[in-house]
Amino acid sequence: MRVRKFKLPYKPLSLAMLSLSMIACGGQPISEAGHRAEDMQEKELHDKSLQPERHGKPVVYQVFTRLYGNKNETNKPWGTIKENGVGKFNDFDKTALASIKALGTSHIWYTGVIHHALVNDYTGLGISNDDPDVIKGRAGSPYAVKDYFNVNPDLALDPAKRLEEFEALIARTHEAGMKVIIDIVPNHVARSYESMSAPDGISDFGENDDTSVEYARDNNFYYVVDKAFEVPSFGQYVPLGGEPHPLVDGTFQEYPAKWTGNGARSAKPDVNDWYETVKVNYGVRPDGSYDFPSLPSSFAEKDTQAHFAFWQQKDLPDSWYKFRDITHYWLDKGVDGFRYDMAEMVPVEFWSFLNSSIKQKNPDAFLLAEVYQPEKYREYIQKGKMDYLYDKVGFYDTLKLIMQGKANVSELVAVHKQVEDIAQQMLHFLENHDEQRIASEPFAGNAEKGKPALAVSALISSSPTLLYFGQDVGEDGSEETGFGDPSRTSIFDYVGVPAHQRFMNGGLFDGGRSTQKELELREYYEQIMNIAAHNQAINGEFISLHKQNLDASNSTYSEQQFAFARVKNGQGFIVISNFSENDVSNLTLTLPQNLLSESVGSLEHSALAPMLNHEPLSLNAKENGYTATLSLKGLETKVFSF
């Protein structure tokens, strides 16, 4: 979470291309019958005989759970749950999960699952009403958690059985051959936090706080002593779009006021503060000093077992134990990992404590953190024991500029090299719930511009790749539905997501209402992501071919093209992407001799097999390597195996 201001039947895979890529990595082709939409509801698509063995890297598919299965297309601004509809846990049936798995997915990140503050009335279940004066949008922010031990009642067919319905979804996801990730938001909770589902012996956040002081080590919150909370001055913004509501009166009862989630210390936060949340105290004094043991610098080289041992028999702030209990609770429910919101706002020592305890329960737990300060990357990986961090400030930001025609490929090569030692732990993405949709006007205005970027982002590194639902069919995020501006699909309101809904086709997930371009885009995503997921060379050596070809004379290769290779055990692939919308003819590609010598041998002429829908690459042996002449259409990528 970051601060935000205001018709053709679909075949889920190109079987010829996937078969070729599977053969290239030693796997077996997938049968066409197993991927026909009409067979999906009758066949067990998670059967191992239909799933190629994974040799590649993790692929995370992020779904905004509230929106993914929503079939309602009304999209009324500030529409209620009845007017605009909402997706449910049960919408993730075998057909839906198979369509997600077809993208090479190993992990589904179910965003917005934990029970957060929302407007709907569930008092019949004993849940207190939340005040829209401290809720963003109609449906509420998933990052203002109200009860860490239960799930959002909006997402259940029977809200009284919402936890059981989510547990069933976890089981279905596992049966489909994928793992489950959910959000944990340690930096802040909703102003209205109140767990009615906490296990025996676990107290609520703030329940035992001494509210007469700004700070105490074992207080869960910070307090603005002797002052009551005041709702921000909203200006033109009006809660619920101006619709009358019994709790919308410009007030919220909180005494004394708590610090706001982003660290604002005023009893009356600004409208651009995270005013719907309160900051959690981890034993960091108001002056920034620590009220807990420091982790010795040598622990950057130690494993999680050593970190776990370090924290035993130490007296630590209460909030540390609360979040340990929360994560262990969800691990016991079958959750396989967590995405940590704004991890850099929480001390690294806490992450050492928490993550090492998680790895004792599940050594394979997938731990992904949102960190935007490059100078902290290695600290949070090495001392905080994170598995993966967002590669936003650097890779994503530079790639976005290249897609917009504002940067050169050489800049991307440079920023990738800056994290060379931790590249395998820097997760790549082109979209997520915080970022603009590629097809939105402020970003690229055209989903096709994401095609070369996807190939580069997904294939340049062994780090995980994250896809956001709807990205694979070119969703543009243009709906004006309430809180926040279009270009991002709203996470605060009830929304139908048009391009995704066309692909979903009433729950068939066959692309039956998709446009031809959407179908072609989806097929391209599947081809690229299955190379990333299943080709062993993705975990091999990265070899940039950019400078060599940029410096070559008599070539049309430029700063708008990017060529590189990945190699493992003498096998690999070569990628060349064209970021220009213009065709490039007679491009001479130069390849070093050591890249292909074992595969090609001393033959004067040879050819490399295509892994996408394009022709083979004919090679000519030269004194110090090989050359090949090829053409690229605007925004085209070609991938060749050897």
Side-chain angles (χ1 to χ4, degrees):
M1 183 185 82
R2 297 201 306 283
V3 178
R4 260 201 211 130
K5 298 181 179 180
F6 299 87
K7 287 222 173 170
L8 293 178
Y10 171 69
K11 287 201 305 182
L13 211 46
S14 170
L15 274 303
M17 291 301 104
L18 181 57
S19 296
L20 182 59
S21 66
M22 293 301 98
I23 291 168
C25 73
Q28 295 298 316
I30 297 177
S31 68
E32 182 172 359
H35 281 279
R36 288 179 182 150
E38 59 264 33
D39 293 336
M40 281 187 174
Q41 294 177 334
E42 299 178 10
K43 294 187 68 69
E44 296 288 338
L45 290 188
H46 60 275
D47 188 306
K48 290 183 180 179
S49 66
L50 294 177
Q51 302 295 346
E53 183 181 355
R54 295 189 73 92
H55 295 281
K57 65 177 184 175
V59 175
V60 180
Y61 193 78
Q62 181 191 7
V63 296
F64 201 80
T65 316
R66 178 201 302 152
L67 306 183
Y68 182 85
N70 183 19
K71 303 174 183 65
N72 187 310
E73 301 179 19
T74 303
N75 279 351
K76 174 185 175 182
W78 292 101
T80 66
I81 191 171
K82 290 183 178 179
E83 291 170 328
N84 282 359
V86 67
K88 303 288 185 180
F89 293 132
N90 278 20
D91 291 318
F92 294 90
D93 58 15
K94 290 179 181 179
T95 305
L97 292 170
S99 76
I100 294 173
K101 184 69 181 288
L103 288 159
T105 303
S106 59
H107 296 72
I108 303 182
W109 168 13
Y110 290 105
T111 306
V113 162
I114 303 295
H115 185 179
H116 58 78
L118 44 78
V119 176
N120 286 335
D121 187 336
Y122 290 106
T123 53
L125 299 176
I127 300 171
S128 61
N129 277 330
D130 296 309
D131 188 338
D133 287 307
V134 287
I135 295 176
K136 289 180 177 176
R138 164 82 61 182
S141 168
Y143 298 102
V145 173
K146 178 187 177 77
D147 183 352
Y148 257 116
F149 296 98
N150 217 317
V151 294
N152 182 353
D154 278 356
L155 304 179
L157 293 177
D158 181 353
K161 297 181 178 179
R162 58 197 183 280
L163 189 56
E164 293 94 320
E165 290 189 25
F166 181 57
E167 290 173 325
L169 175 56
I170 294 172
R172 285 197 303 278
T173 306
H174 289 164
E175 289 168 6
M178 295 174 286
K179 296 184 177 182
V180 172
I181 299 170
I182 63 171
D183 285 286
I184 297 291
V185 192
N187 179 67
H188 49 272
V189 296
R191 288 201 178 270
S192 55
Y193 190 92
E194 181 185 29
S195 177
M196 60 173 285
S197 308
D200 292 342
I202 294 180
S203 59
D204 265 1
F205 284 96
E207 183 176 331
N208 300 316
D209 282 8
D210 177 0
T211 62
S212 68
V213 295
E214 180 182 34
Y215 166 83
R217 193 201 70 164
D218 289 318
N219 276 0
N220 298 137
F221 303 126
Y222 301 90
Y223 294 90
V224 186
V225 179
D226 296 331
K227 290 187 178 180
F229 173 79
E230 296 181 57
V231 171
S233 298
F234 288 129
Q236 295 182 339
Y237 169 72
V238 182
L240 302 185
E243 178 185 311
H245 187 281
L247 294 179
V248 177
D249 56 5
T251 66
F252 177 74
Q253 299 304 311
E254 180 182 287
Y255 184 87
K258 303 178 181 74
W259 286 16
T260 295
N262 60 319
R265 304 184 183 189
S266 171
K268 183 177 181 177
D270 185 81
V271 67
N272 292 315
D273 289 326
W274 304 345
Y275 61 84
E276 80 279 25
T277 67
V278 292
K279 185 166 179 62
V280 175
N281 166 30
Y282 285 90
V284 180
R285 300 183 184 95
D287 66 2
S289 62
Y290 288 173
D291 203 355
F292 50 79
S294 295
L295 191 66
S297 59
S298 62
F299 272 74
E301 307 301 323
K302 296 184 183 294
D303 62 16
T304 55
Q305 182 63 47
H307 281 248
F308 179 75
F310 176 84
W311 296 111
Q312 302 311 298
Q313 285 79 53
K314 286 185 171 60
D315 184 25
L316 301 170
D318 182 73
S319 295
W320 291 36
Y321 298 111
K322 276 187 164 55
F323 273 99
R324 180 199 62 187
D325 292 342
I326 288 165
T327 55
H328 288 202
Y329 172 87
W330 288 109
L331 290 173
D332 289 340
K333 296 288 185 187
V335 167
D336 302 290
F338 305 104
R339 179 268 189 186
Y340 296 130
D341 186 78
M342 296 308 297
E344 63 194 347
M345 298 181 75
V346 178
V348 73
E349 283 83 357
F350 164 75
W351 293 116
S352 165
F353 164 82
L354 180 68
N355 289 339
S356 63
S357 78
I358 288 172
K359 292 293 187 178
Q360 300 309 301
K361 286 182 72 71
N362 180 1
D364 296 323
F366 186 101
L367 306 177
L368 167 64
E370 185 182 28
V371 174
Y372 297 121
Q373 299 178 67
E375 67 274 13
K376 291 186 175 182
Y377 286 169
R378 289 160 185 82
E379 181 182 22
Y380 276 73
I381 290 171
Q382 295 162 2
K383 295 180 73 173
K385 311 317 288 183
M386 297 296 183
D387 292 327
Y388 306 106
L389 306 181
Y390 280 25
D391 199 345
K392 172 183 159 52
V393 181
F395 197 86
Y396 166 83
D397 285 349
T398 305
L399 193 53
K400 182 176 181 177
L401 291 174
I402 293 171
M403 294 163 70
Q404 295 173 326
K406 300 176 182 177
N408 293 326
V409 166
S410 291
E411 296 173 55
L412 186 70
V413 176
V415 298
H416 186 57
K417 189 170 182 60
Q418 289 172 5
V419 294
E420 187 174 21
D421 59 317
I422 55 172
Q424 72 277 10
Q425 293 173 277
M426 300 302 296
L427 173 137
H428 288 174
F429 61 87
L430 299 179
E431 291 185 359
N432 62 47
H433 67 280
D434 276 322
E435 306 299 343
Q436 294 170 326
R437 294 286 194 176
I438 296 167
S440 69
E441 287 302 323
F443 189 157
N446 179 1
E448 296 293 306
K449 291 186 178 181
K451 292 173 75 172
L454 177 74
V456 170
S457 178
L459 302 180
I460 194 174
S461 171
S462 61
S463 66
T465 293
L466 182 146
L467 304 177
Y468 191 37
F469 87 107
Q471 176 185 341
D472 46 294
V473 287
E475 174 59 36
D476 67 6
S478 61
E479 288 67 47
E480 180 76 72
T481 53
F483 187 90
D485 297 323
S487 75
R488 301 172 179 88
T489 297
S490 175
I491 66 169
F492 305 107
D493 290 284
Y494 300 108
V495 184
V497 183
H500 170 68
Q501 288 177 320
R502 290 191 290 272
F503 172 78
M504 182 169 57
N505 193 23
L508 295 177
F509 291 91
D510 61 357
R513 296 171 55 214
S514 297
T515 67
Q516 179 66 32
K517 280 196 170 294
E518 289 168 353
L519 294 175
E520 291 171 355
L521 185 66
R522 167 77 188 205
E523 182 179 26
Y524 177 81
Y525 267 77
E526 288 185 351
Q527 292 172 356
I528 293 293
M529 295 316 303
N530 275 283
I531 296 172
H534 300 296
N535 193 298
Q536 66 171 350
I538 200 72
N539 293 312
E541 180 186 3
F542 164 69
I543 301 172
S544 175
L545 305 174
H546 181 66
K547 188 175 189 305
Q548 177 180 3
N549 282 279
L550 195 62
D551 292 345
S553 59
N554 302 319
S555 176
T556 54
Y557 187 97
S558 75
E559 283 284 10
Q560 292 183 296
Q561 287 80 50
F562 188 20
F564 62 90
R566 294 204 67 88
V567 187
K568 184 176 182 181
N569 299 329
Q571 296 183 10
F573 54 81
I574 296 166
V575 179
I576 179 164
S577 291
N578 181 18
F579 284 92
S580 171
E581 294 183 77
N582 298 321
D583 296 351
V584 181
S585 300
N586 299 318
L587 186 153
T588 299
L589 185 66
T590 302
L591 305 173
Q593 186 174 32
N594 60 355
L595 176 64
L596 298 174
S597 56
E598 292 184 14
S599 300
V600 177
S602 59
L603 296 177
E604 185 176 351
H605 300 288
S606 187
L608 303 184
M611 299 179 74
L612 302 178
N613 297 323
H614 54 76
E615 71 289 343
L617 184 66
S618 297
L619 299 177
N620 296 307
K622 299 296 182 182
E623 182 177 352
N624 296 315
Y626 303 89
T627 62
T629 302
L630 69 156
S631 297
L632 291 168
K633 296 177 182 177
L635 305 176
E636 185 180 17
T637 292
K638 293 183 177 180
V639 184
F640 304 95
S641 66
F642 60 87

